Amino acid sequence: MQQKILEIKNLGKSYGETTALANFSLDLAPGEVLGLLGPNGAGKTTLISILSGTLRDFSGSVAFRGQDLFADRRLKNRIGIVPQEMAFYEDLSALENLLFWGGLYDIPEKELKRRALELLAVVELSTRAREPVKKFSGGMKRRLNVAIGLVHRPELLLLDEPTVGIDVQAKVSILDIIREVGRKGTSVVFTTHQLAEVEQTCSRIAIMDQGKILATGTLAELIRIVGEKEIVEVSGEFSATAFSEAIPAPSGAGIEILSVSDDFAMLAFADSQDIPAMMQRLFAHRLHVADLKIKSPSLEAVFLKMTGRSLRD
Amino acid sequence: MKKIWHIGRLDLKLMVKDKAFFFWVLLFPLAFILIFGNLFGSSRTDTRASLTVLNQDRGKWGAYFIRKLESPKIELAVVNEPPAEYYRVLVIPPDFSTRIERKAAQEIQFLKDSEADLKAGAVADTKITQAIVKLLAELVMYGNRDMKAFFDTRNPYRDLVSVHTRLPKDTIAKIPSGFDHTLPGILVQFVMMMVLIYGGISVMEDRKHRVLARILYSSASFAELFGGKLLGRLLMGLLQSAILVAAGLLLFRLNLGNVWLSSLNIVVFAAAMAALSIFVGSVLRKEELIIGVSMLLANMFAGLGGCWWPIEIVPPAFRAAAMVSPAYWAMDTFHKIIFFGKGFAAVWPNLLVLLGFGAVSTALALRFFKVEE
Ligand SMILES: Nc1ncnc2c1ncn2[C@@H]1O[C@H](COP(=O)(O)OP(=O)(O)OP(=O)(O)O)[C@@H](O)[C@H]1O
Ligand SMILES: [Mg+2]
């Protein structure tokens, strides 16, 4: 069996009363691009901080290619980390930033400059390479933030919500960069709370909530968790409690409520023949249904089933 | 070591890139230098007293007497007509020679203007008294010999008496003044101010933007990060010093005394401020607060420590209080080097005190420096 590039075992971390990570375990094979999906406060940033070595006082272990990650500082030369914040110098140009950050690794000057220019082309910043970064748009800054994590050509790239706070087009270009990096053989872990991002970008997906991994697998594997079911989305004007009273869960063998909130509910049906019966019960309880969608199982359904809560908050 | 240099160098680069850089490190301090330099005078006019001599004598003795007044401390002007303006004038009467040769009583007048400087007047007074004593002594020794033969070159009684003034060792021979005092003073003030402000703000901003944490994502150690930040701030102080020294040399013919020793003083002082700036930037979280505290500290230390006026002119109690200011020790070192020509043996205790300030500041900085909020 191929050696794992990353083996995280039973990580635990608390901030006083709050448990940020509990028994968190995750493996990564070389070349994998793993999307770590988790809602706000799930512990994503805490995980990245531990892996980056800036957060101490945790329990559990992390091995990088079989070695204790925290035993030898030089291992950090082989890992690239892109924080959630735009952590760079706004008064410097993109090129100057790359030369500074790359200069922290033992790369010969000429080689560093060559790599920096090459990387600027990859993240499509070549034409603005010598402008002060503070003049950049949010999307451009995000791309530079990613480029800085790549300048020393790491074997493993960790990104914390690399697409947060930017427009759709900028997101697409960041995801393209991640896919391209993965295609060239770098292993990648990136955190997000955007379902579409992991569906499009990752070779493997992990769902986490409240400091734990709930499920991992390829998109197809995860969808199988929900099973060969019809997913029904109901929206209208009703309260969550009224809906639950109308359709008590679990109501019969074939119907499963994946999530319910005010004005929106998602259900899984083993048999689509049961859908009209559900509608009748809603009408009988005088719940106003405005829209009903029947879908095939998606990652969203899996996510709702696993976490019981929506990502959209 | 390479990483420390890499991290430190960047802070210097960012400081130079600041738009207001030249205003803060050159124009602003130059204004201070001009104000305080002129306020506390230039060293030349202060130590040379001017004396006008109106010589009405028709014989040789008047000129002979005047020669005895010559001294490096006196700016002597000999005139034949009563001058229109003067600070002080010595009038030698027309019958000066005749009366000496007749051994008759003699009267010379010394007139002072109401605006004349008292200290300079005292120098002139002393010189005149000395000249009279010398002349009298020679006349007494010469006795009843032929007065006409006094000016014979073989006369052994000519220029018989000479007075050498020597001050006891370690007397404050002069009070540091003029641009030679003001320039080092403002240099010390601005090293404090610029290092604390630029250095403090950038530590705070780097922490806020998680730049400090990101540096630790690389294999750079905490020690290398801290060392780099310390070095960066030291370089800021040295750059500020270099700019003011260059301006001083070009514009004010600055005299630094022993250049190596003065440079050592600057380095040790800037290092102490570098550490202090990390402490300030670590405990404060707002830019305005850092600027306020830095301004307050720098100006308090500068005023107290004798950057603006020579500490030699303030009351002893104030001078004792000044010792809490690191600027006092740097200024005292400059005075010893520049004005009193002292060497390393005289200034090393001062440098040790500054190193002590640096050590305490470093300890405080290490205690409070953190890479994230
Ligand atoms: N410095 C801290 N002090 C106290 N609690 C903290 C701290 N940092 C994080 N937490 C808590 O730990 C939990 C996990 O936080 P974390 O930032 O890792 O979540 P996240 O998945 O990154 O969330 P987001 O999507 O909002 O970035 C949260 O409950 C959070 O409130
Ligand atoms: Mg986060």
Side-chain angles (χ1 to χ4, degrees):
Chain A
M1 201 189 84
Q2 211 177 2
Q3 191 187 34
K4 298 282 184 205
I5 191 156
L6 195 62
E7 275 175 283
I8 303 170
K9 282 210 183 88
N10 299 323
L11 273 194
K13 169 79 198 173
S14 309
Y15 298 101
E17 297 280 280
T18 333
T19 305
L21 289 177
N23 267 317
F24 182 99
S25 297
L26 186 69
D27 284 356
L28 192 72
E32 265 189 320
V33 175
L34 180 105
L36 188 56
L37 195 57
N40 287 117
K44 304 183 293 292
T45 299
T46 305
L47 173 69
I48 301 286
S49 299
I50 289 176
L51 296 181
S52 70
T54 52
L55 196 59
R56 310 261 163 78
D57 302 321
F58 56 88
S59 56
S61 68
V62 180
F64 176 81
R65 290 202 187 278
Q67 293 181 64
D68 179 1
L69 178 60
F70 309 110
D72 185 354
R73 207 167 349 102
R74 281 171 306 177
L75 288 180
K76 290 181 168 184
N77 287 333
R78 297 159 67 184
I79 301 176
I81 292 158
V82 179
Q84 196 168 345
E85 300 83 5
M86 317 270 195
F88 44 68
Y89 293 100
E90 299 254 336
D91 291 325
L92 296 182
S93 71
L95 180 61
E96 285 170 322
N97 261 297
L98 285 176
L99 294 179
F100 171 73
W101 293 103
L104 292 170
Y105 302 86
D106 300 314
I107 308 166
E109 214 166 306
K110 267 197 180 149
E111 166 69 8
L112 177 60
K113 179 135 193 213
R114 203 180 61 72
R115 284 192 202 180
L117 291 171
E118 193 183 290
L119 205 49
L120 285 166
V122 172
V123 298
E124 291 167 37
L125 288 174
S126 293
T127 53
R128 314 278 299 265
R130 284 163 214 276
E131 270 176 49
V133 171
K134 60 179 164 220
K135 292 190 187 164
F136 281 12
S137 70
M140 293 165 75
K141 286 182 185 175
R142 280 273 164 217
R143 298 209 293 274
L144 175 63
N145 207 29
V146 173
I148 290 169
L150 284 168
V151 68
H152 58 292
R153 300 208 171 144
E155 297 163 44
L156 170 65
L157 180 66
L158 308 171
L159 307 102
D160 194 9
E161 309 226 21
T163 59
V164 114
I166 48 175
D167 60 56
V168 178
Q169 213 176 343
K171 267 179 202 176
V172 169
S173 104
I174 294 275
L175 295 175
D176 282 344
I177 294 167
I178 291 175
R179 229 175 287 129
E180 180 65 14
V181 167
R183 206 181 50 75
K184 285 183 184 154
T186 306
S187 311
V188 180
V189 176
F190 78 94
T191 72
T192 179
H193 54 259
Q194 303 274 326
L195 286 162
E197 287 182 3
V198 291
E199 284 176 338
Q200 295 157 13
T201 316
C202 304
S203 58
R204 202 155 65 96
I205 297 163
I207 296 175
M208 76 175 293
D209 193 21
Q210 299 184 335
K212 275 197 206 54
I213 291 286
L214 301 176
T216 63
T218 61
L219 185 58
E221 284 165 358
L222 287 178
I223 286 173
R224 237 172 276 143
I225 294 174
V226 180
E228 295 288 308
K229 290 182 178 173
E230 304 287 349
I231 304 298
V232 175
E233 286 179 10
V234 184
S235 50
E237 283 167 31
F238 47 80
S239 69
T241 33
F243 191 93
S244 301
E245 277 167 21
I247 318 274
S251 61
I255 306 179
E256 187 182 356
I257 298 181
L258 297 176
S259 114
V260 60
S261 55
D262 289 347
D263 303 336
F264 181 83
M266 192 186 264
L267 303 100
F269 285 81
D271 187 347
S272 56
Q273 310 251 310
D274 293 337
I275 296 173
M278 174 204 66
M279 289 302 287
Q280 274 171 6
R281 296 185 68 155
L282 292 178
F283 289 133
H285 281 78
R286 297 180 191 283
L287 297 186
H288 178 247
V289 175
D291 191 20
L292 183 131
K293 283 191 188 122
I294 303 176
K295 295 175 158 180
S296 50
S298 66
L299 190 57
E300 188 177 9
V302 179
F303 188 85
L304 289 173
K305 181 179 162 71
M306 302 302 305
T307 65
R309 56 178 171 147
S310 169
L311 278 165
R312 295 173 295 195
D313 49 12
Chain B
M1 219 34 226
K2 221 178 119 204
K3 280 177 191 157
I4 294 179
W5 171 244
H6 186 71
I7 294 167
R9 198 179 48 174
L10 187 82
D11 278 326
L12 192 65
K13 182 174 173 173
L14 288 167
M15 180 186 181
V16 176
K17 271 186 170 249
D18 188 287
K19 279 198 199 77
F21 173 72
F22 268 102
F23 172 76
W24 285 113
V25 304
L26 184 62
L27 300 183
F28 197 36
L30 276 184
F32 266 79
I33 289 166
L34 286 172
I35 292 167
F36 284 107
N38 286 315
L39 212 57
F40 292 96
S42 139
S43 47
R44 265 170 219 96
T45 52
D46 222 31
T47 47
R48 270 170 80 91
S50 64
L51 175 63
T52 307
V53 183
L54 173 60
N55 187 8
Q56 299 170 322
D57 182 32
R58 284 183 290 261
K60 284 180 171 177
W61 288 93
Y64 182 68
F65 179 69
I66 289 168
R67 260 188 33 224
K68 294 198 178 300
L69 288 171
E70 285 170 5
S71 150
K73 283 189 192 151
I74 300 262
E75 211 161 85
L76 210 56
V78 182
V79 295
N80 296 318
E81 300 291 326
E85 257 187 28
Y86 57 83
Y87 281 124
R88 52 197 78 78
V89 62
L90 183 70
V91 184
I92 298 177
D95 54 354
F96 186 70
S97 292
T98 330
R99 281 175 173 272
I100 286 180
E101 284 164 16
R102 283 212 322 259
K103 300 197 162 119
Q106 188 75 262
E107 188 174 318
I108 50 180
Q109 271 183 308
F110 185 41
L111 310 169
K112 290 177 186 174
D113 187 80
S114 59
E115 282 177 21
D117 182 68
L118 287 179
K119 222 160 72 191
V123 175
D125 266 338
T126 312
K127 216 61 222 172
I128 293 167
T129 313
Q130 282 178 358
I132 293 171
V133 170
K134 287 182 206 171
L135 189 62
L136 279 178
E138 284 171 24
L139 288 172
V140 169
M141 300 293 281
Y142 196 68
N144 282 332
R145 276 165 262 244
D146 178 15
M147 279 298 180
K148 295 264 168 356
F150 186 89
F151 294 105
D152 190 330
T153 45
R154 279 162 302 175
N155 170 18
Y157 299 100
R158 272 186 63 170
D159 295 323
L160 190 67
V161 182
S162 62
V163 179
H164 293 285
T165 320
R166 224 173 62 216
L167 293 166
K169 223 170 150 265
D170 290 334
T171 308
I172 294 183
K174 58 186 189 182
I175 291 189
S177 63
F179 289 116
D180 283 351
H181 165 263
T182 303
L183 255 157
I186 301 303
L187 184 148
V188 164
Q189 179 198 354
F190 273 79
V191 165
M192 285 193 286
M193 214 152 81
M194 289 303 110
V195 171
L196 287 179
I197 292 178
Y198 273 105
I201 289 178
S202 56
V203 161
M204 181 273 294
E205 296 251 298
D206 285 4
R207 181 180 65 242
K208 222 181 229 169
H209 291 139
R210 295 188 60 88
V211 163
L212 296 178
R214 193 169 205 172
I215 289 175
L216 290 185
Y217 292 172
S218 75
S219 62
S221 65
F222 179 85
E224 284 167 326
L225 171 61
F226 187 83
K229 290 289 145 189
L230 205 55
L231 176 68
R233 275 138 200 82
L234 170 62
L235 292 175
M236 289 176 182
L238 296 185
L239 178 65
Q240 170 69 83
S241 305
I243 287 171
L244 287 186
V245 166
L249 292 173
L250 279 171
L251 303 174
F252 307 102
R253 281 188 284 157
L254 168 69
N255 164 30
L256 274 181
N258 180 334
V259 173
W260 293 111
L261 216 47
S262 283
S263 303
L264 181 65
N265 186 32
I266 291 175
V267 171
V268 172
F269 181 71
M273 290 306 119
L276 191 59
S277 79
I278 295 184
F279 170 61
V280 168
S282 295
V283 291
L284 301 180
R285 287 156 176 233
K286 283 216 170 74
E287 180 169 331
E288 312 83 70
L289 212 56
I290 293 178
I291 294 177
V293 167
S294 301
M295 285 281 192
L296 191 76
L297 273 182
N299 288 307
M300 199 180 72
F301 281 159
L304 203 59
C307 291
W308 294 336
W309 43 76
I311 198 80
E312 285 81 356
I313 68 169
V314 305
F318 191 87
R319 220 175 302 164
M323 291 187 183
V324 304
S325 162
Y328 167 82
W329 299 96
M331 284 310 290
D332 191 54
T333 308
F334 271 135
H335 283 182
K336 286 191 163 117
I337 299 168
I338 298 171
F339 291 94
F340 309 120
K342 295 289 170 64
F344 185 76
V347 300
W348 70 261
N350 285 25
L351 296 178
L352 212 60
V353 173
L354 285 177
L355 284 175
F357 271 105
V360 171
S361 303
T362 306
L364 283 172
L366 269 172
R367 165 73 183 72
F368 289 97
F369 181 73
K370 47 193 180 304
V371 298
E372 43 202 350
E373 301 274 302

